[in-house]
Amino acid sequence: ILYRIKVGMGSMELPQVEFKGALTQKLLHSEYVYILDCTSDLFLWMGKKANRLLKLAGQKVTNELLEMIRRPDYATILRENE
């Protein structure tokens, strides 16, 4: 599942990104932060133009997703900067 971090006036959203076919880098935009949830691993991708608040929110949400959902003991967070 691919999510995009959205931060608004005092709120945060985690909408799912809809796509058909293979996940490619063309789906990722430099202004945003994304989380790819592969159950055993979480991938945090931070665009080079994403603001600091989005990056911090992405890190926080990724850590919370790792704890909230039952995952294998070897599950990890992999962080990637554009």
Side-chain angles (χ1 to χ4, degrees):
I1 302 171
L2 180 65
Y3 300 103
R4 187 179 98 192
I5 302 291
K6 292 177 84 176
V7 178
M9 298 292 285
S11 67
M12 184 173 57
E13 295 178 27
L14 195 61
Q16 187 172 334
V17 177
E18 299 291 331
F19 63 94
K20 292 183 180 180
L23 176 63
T24 63
Q25 183 140 3
K26 290 179 184 179
L27 290 170
L28 308 176
H29 300 278
S30 293
E31 300 83 21
Y32 301 116
V33 172
Y34 297 89
I35 298 171
L36 179 63
D37 188 344
C38 297
T39 307
S40 61
D41 293 308
L42 289 165
F43 296 88
L44 175 63
W45 187 89
M46 294 185 283
K48 62 184 172 187
K49 295 180 184 175
N51 68 41
R52 187 171 185 259
L53 183 60
L54 277 177
K55 292 177 181 180
L56 290 172
Q59 292 176 22
K60 184 177 188 328
V61 170
T62 306
N63 285 325
E64 289 175 0
L65 282 173
L66 184 66
E67 298 298 322
M68 281 184 354
I69 299 170
R70 187 176 180 101
R71 300 179 188 277
D73 292 338
Y74 57 84
T76 59
I77 296 173
L78 301 164
R79 182 177 159 183
E80 181 69 31
N81 294 313
E82 181 180 24

